[in-house]
Amino acid sequence: MPYLTIGESRIYFEQHGAGPSLVLLHGVGGNHASWFAQVAGLSHRWRLTTLDLRGFGNSTDVEQSGREGFADDLVTIWRELRLDGSVLIGQSMGGGAAMAFAAEHPAQLRALVVADSLVGLELPPVARERMAAAEAATIDLPQVERVLGTRVRTAMPERVALYQQLASFNSVTLRTLKGAPRRVTLESLERSGLPILFIVGQEDVLFPPQAMRAVHERLANSSYAEIEGAGHSAHFEDPDAFNQVLSDWLEQLACPR
């Protein structure tokens, strides 16, 4: 099985397809397998690298650094897998790691995609107020209601079961995850010069579209898209729509085929 050793921990990764490089980082309830629909739908045109962040899936976290180690792990992963020039895609928790890496190492990337996430980002007042309301409204919700939209929960019980099964392979949960996300400023993302795409499910209750749109409007180098009928896990709930939005944006960047 493909692993990289970082300190005393092992980081699991997979690579699929051929073409320009995309690297995908999962959220708290996910791991590398959560991107199965992106691997199936995009690997005919792009080279996808999926990985388990430390403590998730097949990866270990012997140092117990949790989120504090994610961005530093990416430095080693980039070097060992020769990922310079990749588009980095992060969802939820993975979006926070992606933004931190992009802010600190913009020369290593072609572009940044942030899906259903504002993790670690210093927010403008409008977004900060909206996020405070969202946190208060969702603090006592069951996990499935936090991460999956109404359409999936009511009409796709097999997708709900699959989400729960994938999450069961992680050794940590949101409540046991160690470390804090690295703080990222809007100014550092602006200075990076990277094209940035924000994608959000229209029913995301954790990172509401209004908050993500407010961040997009502060960044001249960003684009914004909503996935109709999806919640916090838009890539998982409606992968066809997510993949289409992503593909169209990548084509606009003139990524070579």
Side-chain angles (χ1 to χ4, degrees):
M1 298 176 74
Y3 287 94
L4 294 175
T5 299
I6 301 179
E8 296 184 46
S9 298
R10 296 204 305 168
I11 305 299
Y12 178 83
F13 69 93
E14 292 184 2
Q15 294 186 304
H16 304 270
S21 176
L22 310 180
V23 181
L24 300 98
L25 306 180
H26 60 82
V28 171
N31 46 59
H32 74 278
S34 301
W35 299 105
F36 68 93
Q38 283 65 53
V39 170
L42 301 173
S43 59
H44 67 289
R45 186 177 300 180
W46 289 282
R47 174 75 159 170
L48 276 66
T49 300
T50 61
L51 56 94
D52 290 334
L53 294 167
R54 59 172 55 233
F56 291 84
N58 296 320
S59 293
T60 60
D61 185 13
V62 177
E63 294 84 359
Q64 294 290 290
S65 56
R67 287 180 290 196
E68 293 178 3
F70 291 168
D72 292 335
D73 288 343
L74 291 176
V75 174
T76 301
I77 292 166
W78 242 250
R79 181 181 66 248
E80 295 297 320
L81 299 184
R82 300 180 180 180
L83 295 174
D84 282 5
S86 296
V87 176
L88 180 56
I89 303 165
Q91 189 266 340
S92 195
M93 176 189 71
M99 286 188 283
F101 184 78
E104 296 173 16
H105 305 280
Q108 309 301 312
L109 298 180
R110 171 72 179 87
L112 172 66
V113 179
V114 180
D116 296 289
S117 180
L118 296 172
V119 173
L121 190 60
E122 294 184 6
L123 301 175
V126 172
R128 190 162 56 245
E129 292 172 7
R130 189 64 188 86
M131 282 300 302
E135 290 169 9
T138 59
I139 189 169
D140 293 324
L141 285 181
Q143 181 67 359
V144 165
E145 292 184 27
R146 289 163 55 86
V147 299
L148 298 176
T150 303
R151 179 174 60 87
V152 168
R153 297 198 318 271
T154 57
M156 301 181 181
E158 75 286 354
R159 185 84 29 149
V160 176
L162 178 58
Y163 181 92
Q164 294 171 318
Q165 289 165 349
L166 290 173
S168 74
F169 293 110
N170 298 330
S171 64
V172 294
T173 67
L174 180 62
R175 298 186 186 280
T176 61
L177 179 62
K178 297 184 181 301
R182 194 164 298 182
R183 305 306 296 176
V184 179
T185 65
L186 290 173
E187 291 74 19
S188 65
L189 291 181
E190 191 90 64
R191 284 196 306 271
S192 75
L194 292 168
I196 302 171
L197 171 62
F198 292 97
I199 307 178
V200 61
Q202 284 185 344
E203 297 182 8
D204 191 335
V205 296
L206 298 183
F207 296 96
Q210 300 93 324
M212 291 195 62
R213 190 184 304 113
V215 170
H216 151 65
E217 290 172 351
R218 290 285 300 272
L219 292 170
N221 53 329
S222 73
S223 302
Y224 176 84
E226 293 182 13
I227 305 297
E228 184 177 358
H232 178 62
S233 306
H235 70 293
F236 182 84
E237 298 175 57
D238 193 344
D240 290 342
F242 183 94
N243 291 354
Q244 190 63 58
V245 166
L246 180 58
S247 297
D248 290 347
W249 186 73
L250 292 172
E251 292 292 349
Q252 291 176 7
L253 290 181
C255 287
R257 295 180 61 173

